[in-house]
Amino acid sequence: MQAIILLGAPGAGKGTLAEGVRNATDYIHVSTGDMLRAAIKAGSQTGLEAKAFMDKGELVPDSVIMRIVSERLAQGQPTDKYMFDGFPRTLEQARQLDEVLAKLGSAVNQVFLLEVPTPVIVSRLSGRRICKTCGAVYHVTNIPPKKEGICDQCGGPLYQRPDDEEATVLNRLDVYQRQTASLIDYYDQKGILIRINAGTNPQAATAELLAKLA
Ligand code: AMP
């Protein structure tokens, strides 16, 4: 089993880059945010536990996150290659991930830090719109749909994630600084941190990441 991590503030473009990497390689994309949103939609116990934290822009407890990630890895094959997006987000999750992978005879191979200036992040997130039907991602000014509020790909309605409203975005950035940014040192000290300039356009960032992928 191989594992890489996409690390960066909310709005750094982890989801967009993950899509580019998935299309170009055989990495399996594991987004804990997507898994939690699916759990909420399905009305499962995990969804009920996670929703209040997510709506406020707070982190979901480590125990909930480690349970869903461990369950996902347990379904995998020894040859699988995983790309984690939005996970780990705390030192505790990082340490527990190391333990889970060690038991499977594996370890984190590379961590890509997506670097983006804060004002760019705030504008990206507060302008983000998502199709309720197919999940396609738009931006009110950077990637507008042809018809306002309607998905180009499937005609579904576009919506704003409740946690993308500006006040919540600012809280999520604060949470990132307080709880997640320490992972930069954690992985740098292991010698597996790679910095990617993700502040301009997603195509260039994806190309840079693919060029640096071992
Ligand atoms: P994302 O889609 O990655 O921006 O995640 C959306 C929200 O889900 C976050 O603001 C958190 O509330 C929650 N979440 C996702 N991944 C994690 C994680 N690894 N640890 C804690 N909370 C998470």
Side-chain angles (χ1 to χ4, degrees), residues 32-34 36-37 53-54 57-60 65 86-89 93 161 163 172:
T32 43
D34 285 350
L36 293 170
R37 280 183 288 277
F53 295 100
M54 292 175 74
E58 298 291 332
L59 294 187
V60 172
I65 299 294
F87 169 82
R89 261 180 158 97
Q93 291 177 20
R161 263 171 55 175
D163 59 346
R172 286 163 67 201

Side-chain angles (χ1 to χ4, degrees), residues 119-141:
V120 176
I121 286 185
V122 174
S123 136
R124 276 188 191 171
L125 286 181
S126 46
R128 177 160 71 176
R129 299 292 181 273
I130 299 170
C131 173
K132 206 154 209 154
T133 311
C134 75
V137 180
Y138 297 87
H139 186 279
V140 288
T141 49

